[in-house]
Amino acid sequence: MSEEQRLEGLRAAIELSPDNHGLRLVLAEALRGAGEELEALDHLAMLADAGALPDAELIPTGQLALRHGRLQLAARCVDAARRRGIPEGVAALLRDLEDALTDDGIKQLSVDPDIEGDDRFGPKPIPPSDQATFGDVGGLTDVKQAIHRTIILPFQRPDLYERYGRRSGGGVLLYGPPGCGKTLLARATAGECGLPFLNVRIEEVLDPYIGVSEANLHAAFESARASAPCVLFLDELDAIAYARRKQQGSGARALVDQLLQELDAIGADNSDVLVLAATNAPWDVDDAPKRPGRFDRMVFVPPPDLAARERILEQRLADPPTAELDLAALATRAALFSGADVTHWVERAIDLAIDETLARGGDVPITSEHMQRALEGLTPTTLDWLSTARNYVEFANESGRFDDVLAYLETDEVKSRRRRGLRKDR
Ligand SMILES: Nc1ncnc2c1ncn2[C@@H]1O[C@H](COP(=O)(O)OP(=O)(O)O)[C@@H](O)[C@H]1O
Ligand SMILES: [Mg+2]
């Protein structure tokens, strides 16, 4: 059997058993032996994510990662080697890594980082004057209603909640396919309340060094408390759970615990920090943050329905010169498009009109013909999400948590698409 055939065989085998770590390691080693280092690194990174890199592989993987500029992976290897108490080669790898980081213009990693002072992590609040409002968000009436009930009303009318003995506090976790307005809604919530908006992307909080992610998260909440009253938005909340899964052993729960502690503190001192979070992968979010008083409301943010798409088209086409357009008819052609997809579609049509304006002179208005041409080749970017979601709600909807998704998957728009398959390439 030739080397290439062996690799092909291994690649096919791992496709069939993606969770077989031993097999993946064999494939990675075969790839490295064959000089396919980048592909080898992809598999090693997956093993590292799963906490399944054997001790003996940590340093060699770190070195290989470093050689190819994959600093994050290299840092993770250093970290794991330290935690597992593997002395050989760690110091040298760490030194090389630090050199690489400095060359990259990134500040030196420090083992015991001093997070006080200017380097301190913390989002800058965006003042209310720059905010969107619910009027800027097309459709999503139910979602706006839920946010109003859970977040805005308790803030604006605490007296009501007191008189009726209704517990206030607790955040809302928005979830759904990308590009459908979660971030926009969070900004709009701040706008509706006239409050500053703090946007924290969990990805940016994460750091391979033990303790640094927790310190970053704490700093984010501190800066929210300092700006209170304000809206604090935690985007990509699933990244916390992801970080936990890839980080086995002692430090594993630390970041989730830190989050819970911060959320509970906010609930307790009624500090006027309104918390919203968002995720594309609600099934990856731990249960603990979803308990009462924390993110006890999970709200599905679906792709815009027909009326919402019409509204988004209307918004996007309000400024440029347009011919007579039947927006309702146009909206029917964009089933399952996310808000971002609709926006992208209009931008393409505008580009076509601009091209013609440049070629012919005189302002060429956007016509339905431009819209039609701009639509060609566009597919909804929500399809992958819907297909993943379908697997989860069919197999992991024990508590009825994803009933809203289930109902959405039964709508005519989804069902008629499903006949053609939910995957993009079909
Ligand atoms: N319902 C909507 N109404 C108006 N614009 C929308 C809507 N949904 C998405 N958009 C547009 O798409 C962009 C991306 O949306 P975003 O809120 O970032 O999505 P998500 O956070 O869900 O990934 C927004 O900035 C906005 O231009
Ligand atoms: Mg977003």
Side-chain angles (χ1 to χ4, degrees), residues 179 182-184 233 235 278 280:
K182 295 184 293 297
T183 303
L184 181 61
F233 179 51
D235 209 351
N280 297 342

Side-chain angles (χ1 to χ4, degrees), residues 134-420:
F134 279 172
D136 297 311
V137 185
L140 298 175
T141 320
D142 297 348
V143 180
K144 290 174 188 168
Q145 176 82 30
I147 294 178
H148 193 260
R149 254 293 138 68
T150 320
I151 305 258
I152 301 180
L153 202 56
F155 170 71
Q156 289 176 337
R157 297 293 309 275
D159 56 306
L160 260 180
Y161 280 67
E162 225 154 85
R163 263 188 283 136
Y164 284 84
R166 175 100 163 74
R167 182 178 56 82
S168 63
V172 168
L173 173 58
L174 305 170
Y175 72 95
C180 291
K182 295 184 293 297
T183 303
L184 181 61
L185 274 164
R187 273 176 44 218
T189 303
E192 288 290 313
C193 299
L195 294 179
F197 180 63
L198 282 86
N199 191 350
V200 179
R201 293 184 48 232
I202 297 296
E203 278 286 341
E204 288 169 9
V205 168
L206 297 179
D207 189 290
Y209 278 80
I210 296 175
V212 179
S213 306
E214 293 78 44
N216 284 342
L217 191 65
H218 179 65
F221 274 85
E222 284 284 277
S223 78
R225 279 186 274 265
S227 322
C230 68
V231 171
L232 172 63
F233 179 51
L234 305 174
D235 209 351
E236 301 159 16
L237 193 69
D238 49 285
I240 286 197
Y242 175 72
R244 176 173 157 199
R245 236 181 298 130
K246 76 182 180 190
Q247 209 183 83
Q248 316 264 307
S250 56
R253 273 208 64 89
L255 191 55
V256 179
D257 288 343
Q258 185 73 39
L259 174 67
L260 299 181
Q261 207 177 308
E262 302 291 348
L263 289 173
D264 292 349
I266 279 187
D269 65 5
N270 210 354
S271 51
D272 284 346
V273 177
L274 314 185
V275 191
L276 278 163
T279 177
N280 297 342
W283 27 79
D284 280 351
V285 176
D286 265 298
D287 284 334
K290 295 186 224 162
R291 301 248 167 78
R294 294 164 178 169
F295 296 112
D296 42 359
R297 290 279 309 217
M298 282 181 69
V299 179
F300 177 44
V301 181
D305 62 13
L306 190 62
R309 295 196 298 270
E310 189 180 337
R311 171 90 189 95
I312 298 171
L313 282 171
E314 186 187 314
Q315 286 172 352
R316 297 290 174 253
L317 289 163
D319 291 334
T322 59
E324 195 73 23
L325 291 175
D326 183 349
L327 296 183
L330 287 171
T332 57
R333 296 193 217 152
L336 305 189
F337 273 39
S338 71
D341 293 339
V342 175
T343 303
H344 178 57
W345 175 24
V346 171
E347 280 164 0
R348 280 172 62 140
I350 293 177
D351 284 344
L352 292 173
I354 288 177
D355 288 348
E356 281 176 29
T357 300
L358 289 175
R360 285 205 243 127
D363 279 357
V364 176
I366 297 155
T367 61
S368 44
E369 204 256 315
H370 291 130
M371 291 300 288
Q372 181 53 41
R373 266 163 60 208
L375 187 63
E376 276 156 28
L378 289 185
T379 30
T381 56
T382 57
L383 296 183
D384 283 343
W385 192 92
L386 291 170
S387 146
T388 306
R390 192 163 156 242
N391 288 330
Y392 275 99
V393 299
E394 278 179 8
F395 300 112
N397 189 29
E398 311 90 14
S399 49
R401 177 182 291 151
F402 298 124
D403 281 354
D404 290 349
V405 181
L406 205 56
Y408 180 74
L409 291 173
E410 291 305 317
T411 57
D412 289 340
E413 285 198 345
V414 181
K415 280 208 302 219
S416 67
R417 175 79 203 197
R418 212 149 86 187
R419 278 178 222 121
R420 288 185 284 150

